[in-house]
Amino acid sequence: MQAPTVTQQGIFDKIKGATYTLLPNGRTTICQLTMENGFTIEGSSACVDASNYNQHLGEKYAYEDALNRVWPFEGYLLAEKIFRGTP
């Protein structure tokens, strides 16, 4: 029997949407992930100079940052399920 684990696909399955905002400085992108339970997690990316801003890259890196912030929450939830005997 394989031990319960958090997987990237499991996290992807819980993401219900992503919203991107370019801040007024013209160089910082915020990504807000909305999870299936309504909880939101934000990530960000920024370039040094607004003239170097690339929307695709800004959104890509902000999404990756937000996604990396999901892992600790999912790890905690799994640990709680195991502790409660409900993995």
Side-chain angles (χ1 to χ4, degrees), residues 1 16 20-21 23 35-36 54-55 59 62 70 75 79-80:
M1 180 175 169
K16 294 304 171 198
Y20 300 94
T21 304
L23 295 185
M35 307 306 287
E36 65 185 357
N54 177 300
Q55 181 179 355
E59 291 178 0
V70 175
E80 184 67 15

Side-chain angles (χ1 to χ4, degrees), residues 6-51:
V6 176
T7 66
Q8 189 168 27
Q9 186 59 53
I11 290 174
F12 288 149
D13 291 344
K14 291 183 177 184
I15 296 172
K16 294 304 171 198
T19 303
Y20 300 94
T21 304
L22 176 61
L23 295 185
N25 67 17
R27 59 185 186 87
T28 304
T29 303
I30 304 296
C31 172
Q32 183 181 65
L33 297 179
T34 302
M35 307 306 287
E36 65 185 357
N37 65 1
F39 189 73
T40 58
I41 300 171
E42 291 78 31
S44 65
S45 69
C47 57
V48 174
D49 189 305
S51 66

Side-chain angles (χ1 to χ4, degrees), residues 39-75:
F39 189 73
T40 58
I41 300 171
E42 291 78 31
S44 65
S45 69
C47 57
V48 174
D49 189 305
S51 66
N52 290 330
Y53 180 75
N54 177 300
Q55 181 179 355
H56 173 74
L57 292 178
E59 291 178 0
K60 175 183 183 288
Y61 295 134
Y63 180 90
E64 289 174 1
D65 185 44
L67 186 63
N68 285 334
R69 294 169 190 252
V70 175
W71 285 92
F73 290 104
E74 289 297 309

